[in-house]
Amino acid sequence: MSLSAKDKDAIKAFWAKVAPKAEDIGADAMARMLVVYPQTKTYFSHWQDLSPGSAPVRKHGKTVMSGVAEAVSKIDDLTNGLLTLSELHAFQLRVDPANFKILSHNLLVVLAIQFPSDFTPEVHVAMDKFLSAVALALSEKYR
Amino acid sequence: MVEWTDFERATIQDIFSKMDYESVGHNALARCLVVYPWTQRYFGNFGNLYNAAAIMGNPKVAAHGAVVLHGLDRAVKNMDNIKATYAELSVLHSEKLHVDPDNFRLLADCLTIVVASRLGTGFTADVQAAFQKFLAVVGAALRKQYH
């Protein structure tokens, strides 16, 4: 299920619209993940406040989205482009890769809310494929 | 027995009371066929599903989307007895339609995304949690009679 040229064009075009709102989108997606999938809170026991809109949630949403932005810029070779991030997730954060799917789903929900007419089925499938490819690249160094 | 909070009950009733079943059903099913193309395996007699535009414009997809949404209505009206309510439909999906139950989750995800885009910021994290819990319970009930 690799990205076709058409997928990459759709992703880059859509990302141009997403980029200005990236921080808010990241914060919202993080918040939703923590509320809708409470088991994800286990990774953030070191935060004081896990509620939607809290400072650590907002900050982390921003961090995650800049990772996604980096992935867009390296869309032609995600495995190599995201090697450092993969090492981070594999050796330090040790996030169970199942959670990548969960965060991806919440990102898609936020995109659907923020871009009701731009987030067409074609853009949806391209973004879903992209986020799956990013998750795969992030899992590269796990074992 | 599934425990529903007052908030969850109210949220589900509210979402479905305001929903355009035909439109949401059409869009959710069409999106599912576009985003997860392997789901097209169940619709061999639907005619042209060749690309996104064909899927979105296909009248059989629209009609069937509405059927599925109206089917969800049974759960909305029987939230304390979803398992029993769907016993027959579960047998149908298993014995006659031979649908891989994993597909229930795929359609649920598309439905969540369509409802999110309709409700906008009203689709808060808590509302999303209630909606996804409801769809998960429906999916589990539809799975129940598989063997």
Side-chain angles (χ1 to χ4, degrees):
Chain A
M1 293 199 270
S2 50
L3 298 170
S4 66
K6 190 173 154 227
D7 289 328
K8 291 182 190 178
D9 286 342
I11 291 157
K12 288 188 233 184
F14 185 61
W15 188 258
K17 299 179 180 160
V18 171
K21 294 180 168 194
E23 266 185 60
D24 286 337
I25 289 171
D28 195 3
M30 275 298 304
R32 277 168 199 278
M33 183 184 78
L34 296 167
V35 168
V36 182
Y37 302 88
Q39 71 272 20
T40 56
K41 291 195 287 189
T42 54
Y43 290 96
F44 305 104
S45 51
H46 56 287
W47 287 355
Q48 302 291 18
D49 186 355
L50 283 159
S51 59
S54 73
V57 171
R58 285 204 66 86
K59 180 161 172 261
H60 201 66
K62 185 176 172 189
T63 306
V64 167
M65 285 304 269
S66 44
V68 177
E70 194 185 333
V72 175
S73 72
K74 297 181 178 171
I75 200 168
D76 290 315
D77 188 358
L78 286 169
T79 314
N80 283 308
L82 298 180
L83 261 178
T84 317
L85 275 174
S86 181
E87 280 168 1
L88 174 74
H89 286 74
F91 304 134
Q92 284 178 47
L93 304 176
R94 286 177 288 196
V95 176
D96 188 323
N99 294 290
F100 300 150
K101 244 190 226 180
I102 292 177
L103 182 55
S104 297
H105 168 72
N106 286 293
L107 263 168
L108 294 175
V109 170
V110 175
L111 292 174
I113 290 173
Q114 293 289 332
F115 302 98
S117 34
D118 288 312
F119 195 64
T120 60
E122 289 101 318
V123 169
H124 179 170
V125 63
M127 285 305 297
D128 193 34
K129 283 174 78 174
F130 171 65
L131 292 173
S132 304
V134 170
L136 194 60
L138 281 178
S139 313
E140 181 66 27
K141 299 304 250 177
Y142 270 66
R143 55 178 177 172
Chain B
M1 247 276 292
V2 181
E3 300 280 346
W4 301 101
T5 64
D6 289 340
F7 173 80
E8 286 166 348
R9 283 178 198 278
T11 299
I12 298 304
Q13 297 305 315
D14 187 51
I15 291 177
F16 281 89
S17 69
K18 298 178 177 149
M19 190 188 288
D20 178 344
Y21 281 54
E22 272 67 35
S23 173
V24 170
H26 172 196
N27 277 281
L29 182 59
R31 208 166 264 261
C32 191
L33 296 171
V34 170
V35 179
Y36 310 108
W38 52 94
T39 57
Q40 293 169 24
R41 74 191 304 280
Y42 302 109
F43 303 104
N45 62 343
F46 269 30
N48 187 359
L49 297 177
Y50 209 53
N51 53 39
I55 291 170
M56 293 302 295
N58 187 315
K60 286 188 175 180
V61 171
H64 196 68
V67 164
V68 169
L69 253 284
H70 285 296
L72 269 181
D73 221 28
R74 301 190 206 188
V76 176
K77 296 186 158 67
N78 290 286
M79 282 180 74
D80 288 313
N81 206 7
I82 292 178
K83 195 165 69 179
T85 304
Y86 280 135
E88 244 181 75
L89 273 173
S90 179
V91 171
L92 174 78
H93 283 75
S94 161
E95 306 293 303
K96 187 150 175 267
L97 304 176
H98 306 291
V99 177
D100 180 345
D102 212 45
N103 292 284
F104 304 147
R105 190 183 44 85
L106 299 181
L107 181 57
D109 283 350
C110 287
L111 196 45
T112 301
I113 279 171
V114 171
V115 169
S117 68
R118 300 289 164 108
L119 296 182
T121 46
F123 197 68
T124 63
D126 291 321
V127 168
Q128 182 183 342
F131 192 65
Q132 291 198 205
K133 175 177 169 178
F134 173 73
L135 293 179
V137 170
V138 168
L142 279 177
R143 256 189 136 105
K144 201 78 192 145
Q145 303 300 325
Y146 278 67
H147 64 93

